[in-house]
Amino acid sequence: MQRLDIAALQEIARELRLDIIRMLTEAGSGHPGGSLSAIDMITCLYFSHLRHRPEEPNWPDRDRFILSKGHGVPAVYAVLAKCGYFPKEKLMTLRKLESPLQGHPDRVRLPGIEASTGSLGQGLSIALGMALASKIDGNRFHVYCMIGDGEAQAGQIWEALMAAPHLHVDTLTVMLDYNKGQIDGPTNQIMNLEPIVDKLRAFNWHVEEIDGHNYPQILSALDRCRGIRNKPTFIVAHTIKGRGVSFMEHVIDWHGKAPTPAECEKALADIRAMKY
C-alpha cells in the first residue's frame, strides 16, 4: 500500500468526519462520540499501514482489522467507502431496513468487514484467534483490533489479554480508543482502568502510549508494533470523545445520539474549520 503523507491523511480524516456526521443525521440514530474519537487512528491504519485490496476483499494475505467496539462502526463505513469497497452513496442508508450498513458491523452483508461485532469484549477474542492462525501458518498477515475503554472493563477482554502473550502471538496489535467516556458516564467512575499501561506490561505485552489524534505518534507506534517479535503489541491511544465538533467534545451525552439537522450544520462547520 502506498503511504500518504500526514497532511493528506489529515484531509482524508476531515472528509471522513463529515461523512460520519451526515450519515448519522440521516439515520437519526447512532454513535458519533466514539466514531469521531477513533477516526484518526483508523485513517492512519487503512491509508498508510494496512495491506488490503478493496477490489479483492477476500485476498488471503490481507491484514485484518476487527472493530470490537462495534457501535463505532460509522467510522469504519466511512473508511471502507473512501477505499472503494462500496459506493459512497450507500453511506446514507445507515441503519435502514435491508441496508448492509447496520448499527453494528455485519461480515455477511458488507465486503471489507472481517467480523460481526457489537457484543462488547468478543471482538478481541476473534482477533486473537485470527492472529494465532496467521502465526501458525507462517505470519502471512497481521491482525489489528480496536477496543473501547468501556469495553475494556469486560472479563472476556482480560482473558484474551492473558492468552495472547502466553501463546507468543506477535501477529496481533490491539488499539485502545481511550476517550475516557462510556454511555453511563466517565470511565474512571464506572470501572477505572488505571494503571492500564502497568497492567498490560505485567501481562507481558509490548505497550505504546500515544495521543490518538497525533499523526506522527500514531504512525510511529504502528511501525514499532509491526516490528515486535514473540509478544503481542498494544497501543494505548488517548483520545477525545467527539473530537472535531465543539459541542460534542468530552460530552457523554454524545456517546449514542444523532445530531438534529441544525446541529449537523454546526458540526459540519466545526469540522471544516478544525485544526490538527
Side-chain angles (χ1 to χ4, degrees):
M1 139 124 341
Q2 178 186 4
R3 286 200 162 200
L4 301 178
D5 63 32
I6 288 175
L9 290 170
Q10 290 170 338
E11 283 311 303
I12 289 174
R14 187 190 309 278
E15 176 186 339
L16 300 178
R17 281 187 160 90
L18 295 171
D19 288 339
I20 289 168
I21 293 298
R22 291 188 183 110
M23 75 173 95
L24 287 171
T25 303
E26 176 67 21
S29 65
H31 296 79
S35 299
L36 294 172
S37 66
I39 193 63
D40 293 314
M41 286 185 291
I42 298 176
T43 297
C44 287
L45 185 63
Y46 272 84
F47 293 98
S48 78
H49 208 81
L50 203 72
R51 295 182 308 168
H52 65 127
R53 297 176 178 172
E55 71 283 3
E56 190 181 356
N58 294 319
W59 175 44
D61 291 344
R62 71 192 184 281
D63 293 331
R64 273 69 163 172
F65 173 64
I66 308 294
L67 183 70
S68 192
K69 45 168 261 177
H71 55 277
V73 75
V76 177
Y77 292 154
V79 168
L80 293 181
K82 178 68 177 176
C83 289
Y85 282 90
F86 56 84
K88 185 173 178 177
E89 297 74 32
K90 193 166 287 188
L91 292 176
M92 292 303 110
T93 70
L94 174 70
R95 290 181 171 241
K96 297 188 185 305
L97 287 174
E98 306 301 329
S99 170
L101 279 65
Q102 288 302 303
H104 293 88
D106 186 337
R107 182 185 186 282
V108 175
R109 301 181 70 182
L110 191 67
I113 296 294
E114 298 288 356
S116 299
T117 57
S119 295
L120 296 177
Q122 296 183 0
L124 180 53
S125 295
I126 296 170
L128 173 56
M130 288 181 175
L132 182 58
S134 175
K135 184 174 179 65
I136 290 171
D137 289 345
N139 297 329
R140 293 192 308 165
F141 56 84
H142 200 87
V143 182
Y144 298 87
C145 180
M146 176 174 280
I147 65 174
D149 47 7
E151 176 183 21
Q153 299 158 347
Q156 188 165 343
I157 291 287
W158 292 91
E159 292 179 58
L161 291 178
M162 285 189 286
H166 176 76
L167 297 168
H168 305 288
V169 180
D170 53 9
T171 45
L172 174 64
T173 297
V174 180
M175 299 182 291
L176 173 63
D177 179 19
Y178 201 1
N179 61 37
K180 321 293 190 303
Q182 59 192 103
I183 193 168
D184 293 323
T187 305
N188 64 356
Q189 294 180 18
I190 305 301
M191 181 66 76
N192 196 359
L193 297 174
E194 293 298 333
I196 184 68
V197 171
D198 291 343
K199 291 174 183 175
L200 293 166
R201 286 179 176 151
F203 278 31
N204 203 28
W205 284 72
H206 171 84
V207 183
E208 300 277 342
E209 186 174 18
I210 64 168
D211 175 344
H213 304 299
N214 182 307
Y215 281 67
Q217 290 188 24
I218 298 170
L219 296 169
S220 295
L222 287 171
D223 282 339
R224 284 193 292 272
C225 286
R226 190 87 182 208
I228 297 295
R229 294 291 176 265
N230 211 35
K231 63 167 60 176
T233 53
F234 198 112
I235 300 173
V236 175
H238 296 278
T239 59
I240 296 173
K241 207 173 188 73
R243 166 70 170 144
V245 178
S246 59
F247 58 91
M248 291 185 181
E249 290 190 357
H250 303 291
V251 180
I252 297 293
D253 282 353
W254 288 104
H255 176 91
K257 72 172 183 177
T260 65
E263 289 167 337
C264 173
E265 291 306 312
K266 172 69 169 116
L268 297 180
D270 282 355
I271 293 168
R272 291 189 183 105
M274 175 184 173
K275 296 187 184 304
Y276 282 94

